[in-house]
Amino acid sequence: MIPGKWIHPIDFENLLLLFNQKNKKLVSLNPSAKVLWQGLQSNIPVNEIVDILASSSKADVKQVLSDIEKIISQWQELGFFDVNIGNAKGWVNDNTGKNQFSENRLTLADIPVPATRFRCQFQLGNIIFKFSTPDKNVLNQIIPYSSHLPVGGPAFRSMDLVAGKIREQYVLFKDGVQADSCMYMNEIVPMIHAGILLSVYKNSEKCVGVHSAFVERNGQSVLIPGKSGSGKSTLTAALIQSGFQFSADDLVFLLPEQGRALPISSPMGLKKGSWKVIAGHGYWPEDYQTHQRADDQQVKYIFPPERQMSRFDRFKPAHVQCIIYPEFRPGSSFCFDSITPIESICLLAEAGFCLPDTFGKKDVQKLMEWITMIPAYQLWYSRLDEAVNAVCHIC
């Protein structure tokens, strides 16, 4: 098993990271994974690496072998070896995991043409989306979502979105090309939400896309990265009710050259598990429509009132005063600790981020140098009031 030539190891303050030049993935290695990688690079057989790790850690050989098999499997999925394993999946959900397209792709001509076509337009990031549908019920699904995204900032381009029902499924077209599909009406908004975020990311230049929320108070901006299910959106919703202004919940662009971040103001997506948690913090989940995501999770999209939106220009980058990595742990003890720059980089990688095609090894090093300059904290919580108080204390 040979590591690909497109994989660049980066040593950073005793931490080894692997940068995949092809798909722009960045992975941090723990000590065992570091030994494994260096062994593979030196053409040492896997069974010998297992013996080395088992001997040094005094662990069971079978357990070490099992752990190594899992690590290698993860690396294969990320395209780290010189074999054809297909495309690795990043944090961006393109909503196609549930409904794969058939070989006979559909076209706009397949949508019935009515006498009236219902339209609206909205702006996310630097793209103006011009949406149309022959079905008024589809438009009624989109309006509560799109009405909080007015057109008004600098636009890099516009994109036509068309959604309509074709042969028992709802199909989304981007600029006339089939982009996605779903079976039911309540899946339309998550499909479009994922589609437009993906379009905004793909049209960004020299930006690192991070799966993160972004809030600010008294001119202090907080980046809140987190993988799906971490409690990121739940914490963000509670912070908004405690005096913070909302900027983003899903996608934030990092601009290492400027030392700033550009939040993309899509709504908070609160999954079913958080509805009861936020009910006592100024939100009433029953007031919002329930949607179904491609991963079968129920979600409600919530935009704070205008008075709770960030005062910063939503089209201009902002400084980042601190980074908080939350994790909702029901029934666990509260923990809010300052973490090292290395720990911050590792948690950022776990939260999920994508690098632009123009990024190289030097750009990755510059990104890490910038991240290490920002104070970072790890937050484990089971009670929202404790989590909110801790964040308020440092902002």
Side-chain angles (χ1 to χ4, degrees), residues 6-7 18-27 74-81 85-90 201 353-357 359:
W6 53 89
I7 305 301
L18 301 180
F19 172 55
N20 188 330
Q21 185 72 46
K22 279 189 174 181
N23 60 21
K24 308 304 176 183
K25 301 298 177 187
L26 184 66
V27 175
Q74 292 172 352
W75 288 349
Q76 285 179 321
E77 292 178 1
L78 292 169
F80 280 14
F81 295 111
I85 61 166
N87 292 326
K89 288 187 177 292
Y201 170 72
F353 61 83
C354 292
L355 306 177
D357 291 339
F359 247 54

PDB file of all heavy atoms in Angstrom, residues 6-7 18-27 74-81 85-90 201 353-357 359:
ATOM      1  N   TRP A   6       0.723  12.814  -4.240  1.00  0.00           N
ATOM      2  CA  TRP A   6       0.016  14.081  -4.050  1.00  0.00           C
ATOM      3  C   TRP A   6      -0.254  14.373  -2.566  1.00  0.00           C
ATOM      4  O   TRP A   6      -0.882  15.364  -2.239  1.00  0.00           O
ATOM      5  CB  TRP A   6      -1.303  14.049  -4.811  1.00  0.00           C
ATOM      6  CG  TRP A   6      -2.145  12.847  -4.483  1.00  0.00           C
ATOM      7  CD1 TRP A   6      -3.072  12.737  -3.483  1.00  0.00           C
ATOM      8  CD2 TRP A   6      -2.118  11.585  -5.144  1.00  0.00           C
ATOM      9  NE1 TRP A   6      -3.620  11.484  -3.468  1.00  0.00           N
ATOM     10  CE2 TRP A   6      -3.051  10.750  -4.491  1.00  0.00           C
ATOM     11  CE3 TRP A   6      -1.400  11.078  -6.217  1.00  0.00           C
ATOM     12  CZ2 TRP A   6      -3.300   9.436  -4.883  1.00  0.00           C
ATOM     13  CZ3 TRP A   6      -1.636   9.766  -6.606  1.00  0.00           C
ATOM     14  CH2 TRP A   6      -2.566   8.959  -5.951  1.00  0.00           C
ATOM     15  N   ILE A   7       0.213  13.477  -1.675  1.00  0.00           N
ATOM     16  CA  ILE A   7       0.029  13.686  -0.241  1.00  0.00           C
ATOM     17  C   ILE A   7       1.270  14.369   0.317  1.00  0.00           C
ATOM     18  O   ILE A   7       2.387  13.857   0.197  1.00  0.00           O
ATOM     19  CB  ILE A   7      -0.202  12.348   0.497  1.00  0.00           C
ATOM     20  CG1 ILE A   7      -1.376  11.593  -0.122  1.00  0.00           C
ATOM     21  CG2 ILE A   7      -0.441  12.599   1.975  1.00  0.00           C
ATOM     22  CD1 ILE A   7      -2.677  12.370  -0.097  1.00  0.00           C
ATOM     23  N   LEU A  18      -1.441  15.647   7.153  1.00  0.00           N
ATOM     24  CA  LEU A  18      -1.362  15.195   5.773  1.00  0.00           C
ATOM     25  C   LEU A  18      -2.279  16.059   4.930  1.00  0.00           C
ATOM     26  O   LEU A  18      -3.474  16.175   5.219  1.00  0.00           O
ATOM     27  CB  LEU A  18      -1.775  13.719   5.662  1.00  0.00           C
ATOM     28  CG  LEU A  18      -0.961  12.717   6.479  1.00  0.00           C
ATOM     29  CD1 LEU A  18      -1.495  11.309   6.251  1.00  0.00           C
ATOM     30  CD2 LEU A  18       0.517  12.798   6.152  1.00  0.00           C
ATOM     31  N   PHE A  19      -1.713  16.650   3.891  1.00  0.00           N
ATOM     32  CA  PHE A  19      -2.473  17.505   2.995  1.00  0.00           C
ATOM     33  C   PHE A  19      -2.600  16.816   1.648  1.00  0.00           C
ATOM     34  O   PHE A  19      -1.599  16.510   1.000  1.00  0.00           O
ATOM     35  CB  PHE A  19      -1.797  18.866   2.840  1.00  0.00           C
ATOM     36  CG  PHE A  19      -2.419  19.752   1.791  1.00  0.00           C
ATOM     37  CD1 PHE A  19      -3.777  20.041   1.841  1.00  0.00           C
ATOM     38  CD2 PHE A  19      -1.661  20.291   0.762  1.00  0.00           C
ATOM     39  CE1 PHE A  19      -4.361  20.854   0.877  1.00  0.00           C
ATOM     40  CE2 PHE A  19      -2.230  21.094  -0.200  1.00  0.00           C
ATOM     41  CZ  PHE A  19      -3.592  21.380  -0.139  1.00  0.00           C
ATOM     42  N   ASN A  20      -3.836  16.543   1.218  1.00  0.00           N
ATOM     43  CA  ASN A  20      -4.107  15.906  -0.062  1.00  0.00           C
ATOM     44  C   ASN A  20      -4.265  16.991  -1.122  1.00  0.00           C
ATOM     45  O   ASN A  20      -5.270  17.708  -1.142  1.00  0.00           O
ATOM     46  CB  ASN A  20      -5.385  15.050   0.033  1.00  0.00           C
ATOM     47  CG  ASN A  20      -5.615  14.200  -1.210  1.00  0.00           C
ATOM     48  OD1 ASN A  20      -5.231  14.579  -2.310  1.00  0.00           O
ATOM     49  ND2 ASN A  20      -6.263  13.054  -1.027  1.00  0.00           N
ATOM     50  N   GLN A  21      -3.262  17.118  -1.983  1.00  0.00           N
ATOM     51  CA  GLN A  21      -3.270  18.161  -3.005  1.00  0.00           C
ATOM     52  C   GLN A  21      -4.418  17.973  -3.998  1.00  0.00           C
ATOM     53  O   GLN A  21      -4.912  18.933  -4.587  1.00  0.00           O
ATOM     54  CB  GLN A  21      -1.938  18.155  -3.757  1.00  0.00           C
ATOM     55  CG  GLN A  21      -1.773  19.268  -4.777  1.00  0.00           C
ATOM     56  CD  GLN A  21      -1.571  20.628  -4.134  1.00  0.00           C
ATOM     57  OE1 GLN A  21      -0.771  20.756  -3.209  1.00  0.00           O
ATOM     58  NE2 GLN A  21      -2.277  21.647  -4.590  1.00  0.00           N
ATOM     59  N   LYS A  22      -4.886  16.730  -4.180  1.00  0.00           N
ATOM     60  CA  LYS A  22      -5.946  16.463  -5.153  1.00  0.00           C
ATOM     61  C   LYS A  22      -7.311  16.933  -4.674  1.00  0.00           C
ATOM     62  O   LYS A  22      -8.012  17.676  -5.360  1.00  0.00           O
ATOM     63  CB  LYS A  22      -6.004  14.956  -5.471  1.00  0.00           C
ATOM     64  CG  LYS A  22      -4.975  14.487  -6.476  1.00  0.00           C
ATOM     65  CD  LYS A  22      -5.263  13.045  -6.892  1.00  0.00           C
ATOM     66  CE  LYS A  22      -4.338  12.590  -7.997  1.00  0.00           C
ATOM     67  NZ  LYS A  22      -4.632  11.194  -8.418  1.00  0.00           N
ATOM     68  N   ASN A  23      -7.732  16.464  -3.492  1.00  0.00           N
ATOM     69  CA  ASN A  23      -9.083  16.808  -3.036  1.00  0.00           C
ATOM     70  C   ASN A  23      -9.092  17.833  -1.907  1.00  0.00           C
ATOM     71  O   ASN A  23     -10.135  18.118  -1.318  1.00  0.00           O
ATOM     72  CB  ASN A  23      -9.862  15.557  -2.618  1.00  0.00           C
ATOM     73  CG  ASN A  23      -9.200  14.785  -1.486  1.00  0.00           C
ATOM     74  OD1 ASN A  23      -8.381  15.332  -0.740  1.00  0.00           O
ATOM     75  ND2 ASN A  23      -9.540  13.511  -1.358  1.00  0.00           N
ATOM     76  N   LYS A  24      -7.904  18.380  -1.590  1.00  0.00           N
ATOM     77  CA  LYS A  24      -7.761  19.479  -0.628  1.00  0.00           C
ATOM     78  C   LYS A  24      -8.198  19.099   0.783  1.00  0.00           C
ATOM     79  O   LYS A  24      -8.700  19.929   1.528  1.00  0.00           O
ATOM     80  CB  LYS A  24      -8.549  20.722  -1.094  1.00  0.00           C
ATOM     81  CG  LYS A  24      -8.238  21.154  -2.513  1.00  0.00           C
ATOM     82  CD  LYS A  24      -6.777  21.406  -2.732  1.00  0.00           C
ATOM     83  CE  LYS A  24      -6.454  21.745  -4.171  1.00  0.00           C
ATOM     84  NZ  LYS A  24      -5.020  21.933  -4.402  1.00  0.00           N
ATOM     85  N   LYS A  25      -7.999  17.841   1.165  1.00  0.00           N
ATOM     86  CA  LYS A  25      -8.305  17.400   2.520  1.00  0.00           C
ATOM     87  C   LYS A  25      -7.071  17.564   3.401  1.00  0.00           C
ATOM     88  O   LYS A  25      -5.931  17.366   2.967  1.00  0.00           O
ATOM     89  CB  LYS A  25      -8.750  15.940   2.535  1.00  0.00           C
ATOM     90  CG  LYS A  25      -9.979  15.657   1.683  1.00  0.00           C
ATOM     91  CD  LYS A  25     -11.186  16.422   2.161  1.00  0.00           C
ATOM     92  CE  LYS A  25     -12.371  16.172   1.264  1.00  0.00           C
ATOM     93  NZ  LYS A  25     -13.505  17.039   1.603  1.00  0.00           N
ATOM     94  N   LEU A  26      -7.312  17.918   4.654  1.00  0.00           N
ATOM     95  CA  LEU A  26      -6.232  18.085   5.624  1.00  0.00           C
ATOM     96  C   LEU A  26      -6.582  17.254   6.847  1.00  0.00           C
ATOM     97  O   LEU A  26      -7.643  17.427   7.444  1.00  0.00           O
ATOM     98  CB  LEU A  26      -6.070  19.555   6.005  1.00  0.00           C
ATOM     99  CG  LEU A  26      -4.916  19.902   6.951  1.00  0.00           C
ATOM    100  CD1 LEU A  26      -3.586  19.647   6.263  1.00  0.00           C
ATOM    101  CD2 LEU A  26      -5.015  21.354   7.399  1.00  0.00           C
ATOM    102  N   VAL A  27      -5.690  16.326   7.209  1.00  0.00           N
ATOM    103  CA  VAL A  27      -5.966  15.408   8.315  1.00  0.00           C
ATOM    104  C   VAL A  27      -4.807  15.461   9.304  1.00  0.00           C
ATOM    105  O   VAL A  27      -3.638  15.417   8.914  1.00  0.00           O
ATOM    106  CB  VAL A  27      -6.144  13.960   7.800  1.00  0.00           C
ATOM    107  CG1 VAL A  27      -6.301  12.990   8.962  1.00  0.00           C
ATOM    108  CG2 VAL A  27      -7.337  13.870   6.866  1.00  0.00           C
ATOM    109  N   GLN A  74     -10.006   4.727   6.630  1.00  0.00           N
ATOM    110  CA  GLN A  74     -10.315   6.158   6.567  1.00  0.00           C
ATOM    111  C   GLN A  74      -9.430   6.852   5.541  1.00  0.00           C
ATOM    112  O   GLN A  74      -9.892   7.698   4.773  1.00  0.00           O
ATOM    113  CB  GLN A  74     -10.140   6.785   7.949  1.00  0.00           C
ATOM    114  CG  GLN A  74     -11.164   6.322   8.969  1.00  0.00           C
ATOM    115  CD  GLN A  74     -10.842   6.822  10.371  1.00  0.00           C
ATOM    116  OE1 GLN A  74      -9.770   7.395  10.622  1.00  0.00           O
ATOM    117  NE2 GLN A  74     -11.743   6.600  11.304  1.00  0.00           N
ATOM    118  N   TRP A  75      -8.161   6.507   5.522  1.00  0.00           N
ATOM    119  CA  TRP A  75      -7.238   7.122   4.566  1.00  0.00           C
ATOM    120  C   TRP A  75      -7.590   6.740   3.131  1.00  0.00           C
ATOM    121  O   TRP A  75      -7.453   7.551   2.213  1.00  0.00           O
ATOM    122  CB  TRP A  75      -5.809   6.708   4.886  1.00  0.00           C
ATOM    123  CG  TRP A  75      -5.268   7.346   6.136  1.00  0.00           C
ATOM    124  CD1 TRP A  75      -5.820   8.371   6.845  1.00  0.00           C
ATOM    125  CD2 TRP A  75      -4.062   6.996   6.821  1.00  0.00           C
ATOM    126  NE1 TRP A  75      -5.046   8.684   7.933  1.00  0.00           N
ATOM    127  CE2 TRP A  75      -3.962   7.859   7.949  1.00  0.00           C
ATOM    128  CE3 TRP A  75      -3.073   6.049   6.617  1.00  0.00           C
ATOM    129  CZ2 TRP A  75      -2.890   7.787   8.847  1.00  0.00           C
ATOM    130  CZ3 TRP A  75      -2.005   5.984   7.509  1.00  0.00           C
ATOM    131  CH2 TRP A  75      -1.917   6.845   8.604  1.00  0.00           C
ATOM    132  N   GLN A  76      -8.038   5.509   2.941  1.00  0.00           N
ATOM    133  CA  GLN A  76      -8.466   5.098   1.605  1.00  0.00           C
ATOM    134  C   GLN A  76      -9.650   5.935   1.135  1.00  0.00           C
ATOM    135  O   GLN A  76      -9.708   6.372  -0.014  1.00  0.00           O
ATOM    136  CB  GLN A  76      -8.841   3.612   1.607  1.00  0.00           C
ATOM    137  CG  GLN A  76      -7.649   2.673   1.646  1.00  0.00           C
ATOM    138  CD  GLN A  76      -8.058   1.211   1.676  1.00  0.00           C
ATOM    139  OE1 GLN A  76      -9.027   0.860   2.335  1.00  0.00           O
ATOM    140  NE2 GLN A  76      -7.334   0.374   0.969  1.00  0.00           N
ATOM    141  N   GLU A  77     -10.612   6.157   2.017  1.00  0.00           N
ATOM    142  CA  GLU A  77     -11.782   6.965   1.673  1.00  0.00           C
ATOM    143  C   GLU A  77     -11.386   8.393   1.325  1.00  0.00           C
ATOM    144  O   GLU A  77     -12.046   9.058   0.525  1.00  0.00           O
ATOM    145  CB  GLU A  77     -12.783   6.962   2.824  1.00  0.00           C
ATOM    146  CG  GLU A  77     -13.454   5.609   3.060  1.00  0.00           C
ATOM    147  CD  GLU A  77     -14.402   5.648   4.237  1.00  0.00           C
ATOM    148  OE1 GLU A  77     -14.549   6.737   4.844  1.00  0.00           O
ATOM    149  OE2 GLU A  77     -14.989   4.603   4.554  1.00  0.00           O
ATOM    150  N   LEU A  78     -10.320   8.875   1.948  1.00  0.00           N
ATOM    151  CA  LEU A  78      -9.861  10.246   1.712  1.00  0.00           C
ATOM    152  C   LEU A  78      -8.898  10.352   0.529  1.00  0.00           C
ATOM    153  O   LEU A  78      -8.405  11.432   0.222  1.00  0.00           O
ATOM    154  CB  LEU A  78      -9.189  10.797   2.974  1.00  0.00           C
ATOM    155  CG  LEU A  78     -10.119  11.048   4.169  1.00  0.00           C
ATOM    156  CD1 LEU A  78      -9.314  11.334   5.428  1.00  0.00           C
ATOM    157  CD2 LEU A  78     -11.071  12.199   3.872  1.00  0.00           C
ATOM    158  N   GLY A  79      -8.627   9.230  -0.136  1.00  0.00           N
ATOM    159  CA  GLY A  79      -7.774   9.264  -1.330  1.00  0.00           C
ATOM    160  C   GLY A  79      -6.299   9.438  -1.042  1.00  0.00           C
ATOM    161  O   GLY A  79      -5.594  10.105  -1.795  1.00  0.00           O
ATOM    162  N   PHE A  80      -5.806   8.828   0.049  1.00  0.00           N
ATOM    163  CA  PHE A  80      -4.423   9.030   0.447  1.00  0.00           C
ATOM    164  C   PHE A  80      -3.473   7.989  -0.124  1.00  0.00           C
ATOM    165  O   PHE A  80      -2.268   8.054   0.130  1.00  0.00           O
ATOM    166  CB  PHE A  80      -4.296   9.036   1.976  1.00  0.00           C
ATOM    167  CG  PHE A  80      -4.690  10.359   2.591  1.00  0.00           C
ATOM    168  CD1 PHE A  80      -5.373  11.316   1.859  1.00  0.00           C
ATOM    169  CD2 PHE A  80      -4.365  10.644   3.898  1.00  0.00           C
ATOM    170  CE1 PHE A  80      -5.726  12.526   2.414  1.00  0.00           C
ATOM    171  CE2 PHE A  80      -4.715  11.861   4.470  1.00  0.00           C
ATOM    172  CZ  PHE A  80      -5.397  12.803   3.723  1.00  0.00           C
ATOM    173  N   PHE A  81      -4.005   7.009  -0.858  1.00  0.00           N
ATOM    174  CA  PHE A  81      -3.137   5.969  -1.389  1.00  0.00           C
ATOM    175  C   PHE A  81      -3.165   5.967  -2.908  1.00  0.00           C
ATOM    176  O   PHE A  81      -4.106   6.461  -3.537  1.00  0.00           O
ATOM    177  CB  PHE A  81      -3.539   4.592  -0.849  1.00  0.00           C
ATOM    178  CG  PHE A  81      -3.339   4.455   0.632  1.00  0.00           C
ATOM    179  CD1 PHE A  81      -4.423   4.368   1.472  1.00  0.00           C
ATOM    180  CD2 PHE A  81      -2.063   4.433   1.175  1.00  0.00           C
ATOM    181  CE1 PHE A  81      -4.251   4.262   2.843  1.00  0.00           C
ATOM    182  CE2 PHE A  81      -1.881   4.321   2.537  1.00  0.00           C
ATOM    183  CZ  PHE A  81      -2.971   4.232   3.381  1.00  0.00           C
ATOM    184  N   ILE A  85      -9.945   4.957  -5.707  1.00  0.00           N
ATOM    185  CA  ILE A  85     -11.006   4.609  -4.769  1.00  0.00           C
ATOM    186  C   ILE A  85     -12.218   5.515  -4.928  1.00  0.00           C
ATOM    187  O   ILE A  85     -13.123   5.502  -4.106  1.00  0.00           O
ATOM    188  CB  ILE A  85     -10.501   4.702  -3.312  1.00  0.00           C
ATOM    189  CG1 ILE A  85     -10.064   6.138  -2.998  1.00  0.00           C
ATOM    190  CG2 ILE A  85      -9.374   3.738  -3.068  1.00  0.00           C
ATOM    191  CD1 ILE A  85      -9.866   6.406  -1.546  1.00  0.00           C
ATOM    192  N   GLY A  86     -12.266   6.324  -5.988  1.00  0.00           N
ATOM    193  CA  GLY A  86     -13.419   7.204  -6.178  1.00  0.00           C
ATOM    194  C   GLY A  86     -13.243   8.506  -5.412  1.00  0.00           C
ATOM    195  O   GLY A  86     -12.208   8.770  -4.809  1.00  0.00           O
ATOM    196  N   ASN A  87     -14.269   9.322  -5.429  1.00  0.00           N
ATOM    197  CA  ASN A  87     -14.207  10.633  -4.798  1.00  0.00           C
ATOM    198  C   ASN A  87     -14.412  10.532  -3.303  1.00  0.00           C
ATOM    199  O   ASN A  87     -15.298   9.841  -2.829  1.00  0.00           O
ATOM    200  CB  ASN A  87     -15.285  11.553  -5.389  1.00  0.00           C
ATOM    201  CG  ASN A  87     -14.982  11.877  -6.832  1.00  0.00           C
ATOM    202  OD1 ASN A  87     -13.827  11.988  -7.217  1.00  0.00           O
ATOM    203  ND2 ASN A  87     -16.017  12.010  -7.643  1.00  0.00           N
ATOM    204  N   ALA A  88     -13.582  11.237  -2.538  1.00  0.00           N
ATOM    205  CA  ALA A  88     -13.791  11.297  -1.097  1.00  0.00           C
ATOM    206  C   ALA A  88     -14.885  12.298  -0.798  1.00  0.00           C
ATOM    207  O   ALA A  88     -15.042  13.293  -1.482  1.00  0.00           O
ATOM    208  CB  ALA A  88     -12.488  11.733  -0.412  1.00  0.00           C
ATOM    209  N   LYS A  89     -15.640  12.028   0.257  1.00  0.00           N
ATOM    210  CA  LYS A  89     -16.719  12.946   0.624  1.00  0.00           C
ATOM    211  C   LYS A  89     -16.191  13.957   1.622  1.00  0.00           C
ATOM    212  O   LYS A  89     -15.544  13.597   2.607  1.00  0.00           O
ATOM    213  CB  LYS A  89     -17.913  12.185   1.231  1.00  0.00           C
ATOM    214  CG  LYS A  89     -18.685  11.390   0.196  1.00  0.00           C
ATOM    215  CD  LYS A  89     -19.940  10.798   0.821  1.00  0.00           C
ATOM    216  CE  LYS A  89     -20.774  10.067  -0.212  1.00  0.00           C
ATOM    217  NZ  LYS A  89     -21.361  10.932  -1.201  1.00  0.00           N
ATOM    218  N   GLY A  90     -16.478  15.248   1.425  1.00  0.00           N
ATOM    219  CA  GLY A  90     -16.086  16.283   2.356  1.00  0.00           C
ATOM    220  C   GLY A  90     -17.251  16.641   3.256  1.00  0.00           C
ATOM    221  O   GLY A  90     -18.219  15.897   3.371  1.00  0.00           O
ATOM    222  N   TYR A 201     -20.010  27.848  -2.198  1.00  0.00           N
ATOM    223  CA  TYR A 201     -18.650  27.388  -1.945  1.00  0.00           C
ATOM    224  C   TYR A 201     -17.869  27.225  -3.242  1.00  0.00           C
ATOM    225  O   TYR A 201     -16.717  27.670  -3.360  1.00  0.00           O
ATOM    226  CB  TYR A 201     -18.645  26.070  -1.170  1.00  0.00           C
ATOM    227  CG  TYR A 201     -17.254  25.482  -1.112  1.00  0.00           C
ATOM    228  CD1 TYR A 201     -16.278  26.071  -0.311  1.00  0.00           C
ATOM    229  CD2 TYR A 201     -16.903  24.403  -1.901  1.00  0.00           C
ATOM    230  CE1 TYR A 201     -14.985  25.584  -0.285  1.00  0.00           C
ATOM    231  CE2 TYR A 201     -15.610  23.903  -1.879  1.00  0.00           C
ATOM    232  CZ  TYR A 201     -14.657  24.495  -1.074  1.00  0.00           C
ATOM    233  OH  TYR A 201     -13.376  24.025  -1.073  1.00  0.00           O
ATOM    234  N   PHE A 353     -13.602  21.108   6.910  1.00  0.00           N
ATOM    235  CA  PHE A 353     -13.417  22.266   6.061  1.00  0.00           C
ATOM    236  C   PHE A 353     -12.882  21.824   4.713  1.00  0.00           C
ATOM    237  O   PHE A 353     -12.302  20.746   4.573  1.00  0.00           O
ATOM    238  CB  PHE A 353     -12.515  23.331   6.696  1.00  0.00           C
ATOM    239  CG  PHE A 353     -11.111  22.902   7.008  1.00  0.00           C
ATOM    240  CD1 PHE A 353     -10.131  22.915   6.037  1.00  0.00           C
ATOM    241  CD2 PHE A 353     -10.771  22.523   8.289  1.00  0.00           C
ATOM    242  CE1 PHE A 353      -8.830  22.538   6.332  1.00  0.00           C
ATOM    243  CE2 PHE A 353      -9.472  22.143   8.605  1.00  0.00           C
ATOM    244  CZ  PHE A 353      -8.501  22.152   7.609  1.00  0.00           C
ATOM    245  N   CYS A 354     -13.141  22.651   3.714  1.00  0.00           N
ATOM    246  CA  CYS A 354     -12.702  22.363   2.351  1.00  0.00           C
ATOM    247  C   CYS A 354     -11.786  23.484   1.879  1.00  0.00           C
ATOM    248  O   CYS A 354     -12.038  24.659   2.154  1.00  0.00           O
ATOM    249  CB  CYS A 354     -13.898  22.233   1.408  1.00  0.00           C
ATOM    250  SG  CYS A 354     -14.918  20.784   1.732  1.00  0.00           S
ATOM    251  N   LEU A 355     -10.753  23.097   1.163  1.00  0.00           N
ATOM    252  CA  LEU A 355      -9.775  24.057   0.676  1.00  0.00           C
ATOM    253  C   LEU A 355      -9.970  24.291  -0.814  1.00  0.00           C
ATOM    254  O   LEU A 355     -10.319  23.368  -1.552  1.00  0.00           O
ATOM    255  CB  LEU A 355      -8.360  23.540   0.936  1.00  0.00           C
ATOM    256  CG  LEU A 355      -8.053  23.159   2.387  1.00  0.00           C
ATOM    257  CD1 LEU A 355      -6.640  22.592   2.487  1.00  0.00           C
ATOM    258  CD2 LEU A 355      -8.205  24.353   3.307  1.00  0.00           C
ATOM    259  N   PRO A 356      -9.755  25.508  -1.288  1.00  0.00           N
ATOM    260  CA  PRO A 356      -9.936  25.803  -2.711  1.00  0.00           C
ATOM    261  C   PRO A 356      -8.893  25.117  -3.579  1.00  0.00           C
ATOM    262  O   PRO A 356      -7.823  24.717  -3.102  1.00  0.00           O
ATOM    263  CB  PRO A 356      -9.791  27.334  -2.775  1.00  0.00           C
ATOM    264  CG  PRO A 356      -8.993  27.693  -1.567  1.00  0.00           C
ATOM    265  CD  PRO A 356      -9.366  26.704  -0.515  1.00  0.00           C
ATOM    266  N   ASP A 357      -9.208  24.976  -4.858  1.00  0.00           N
ATOM    267  CA  ASP A 357      -8.317  24.280  -5.792  1.00  0.00           C
ATOM    268  C   ASP A 357      -6.954  24.949  -5.900  1.00  0.00           C
ATOM    269  O   ASP A 357      -5.956  24.297  -6.234  1.00  0.00           O
ATOM    270  CB  ASP A 357      -8.961  24.214  -7.182  1.00  0.00           C
ATOM    271  CG  ASP A 357     -10.170  23.296  -7.207  1.00  0.00           C
ATOM    272  OD1 ASP A 357     -10.265  22.436  -6.308  1.00  0.00           O
ATOM    273  OD2 ASP A 357     -11.015  23.449  -8.100  1.00  0.00           O
ATOM    274  N   PHE A 359      -5.211  26.131  -3.512  1.00  0.00           N
ATOM    275  CA  PHE A 359      -4.420  25.989  -2.294  1.00  0.00           C
ATOM    276  C   PHE A 359      -3.284  24.994  -2.489  1.00  0.00           C
ATOM    277  O   PHE A 359      -3.452  23.922  -3.059  1.00  0.00           O
ATOM    278  CB  PHE A 359      -5.316  25.520  -1.139  1.00  0.00           C
ATOM    279  CG  PHE A 359      -5.482  26.549  -0.060  1.00  0.00           C
ATOM    280  CD1 PHE A 359      -5.920  27.819  -0.374  1.00  0.00           C
ATOM    281  CD2 PHE A 359      -5.208  26.257   1.260  1.00  0.00           C
ATOM    282  CE1 PHE A 359      -6.079  28.781   0.609  1.00  0.00           C
ATOM    283  CE2 PHE A 359      -5.369  27.201   2.254  1.00  0.00           C
ATOM    284  CZ  PHE A 359      -5.802  28.465   1.931  1.00  0.00           C
TER     285      PHE A 359
END
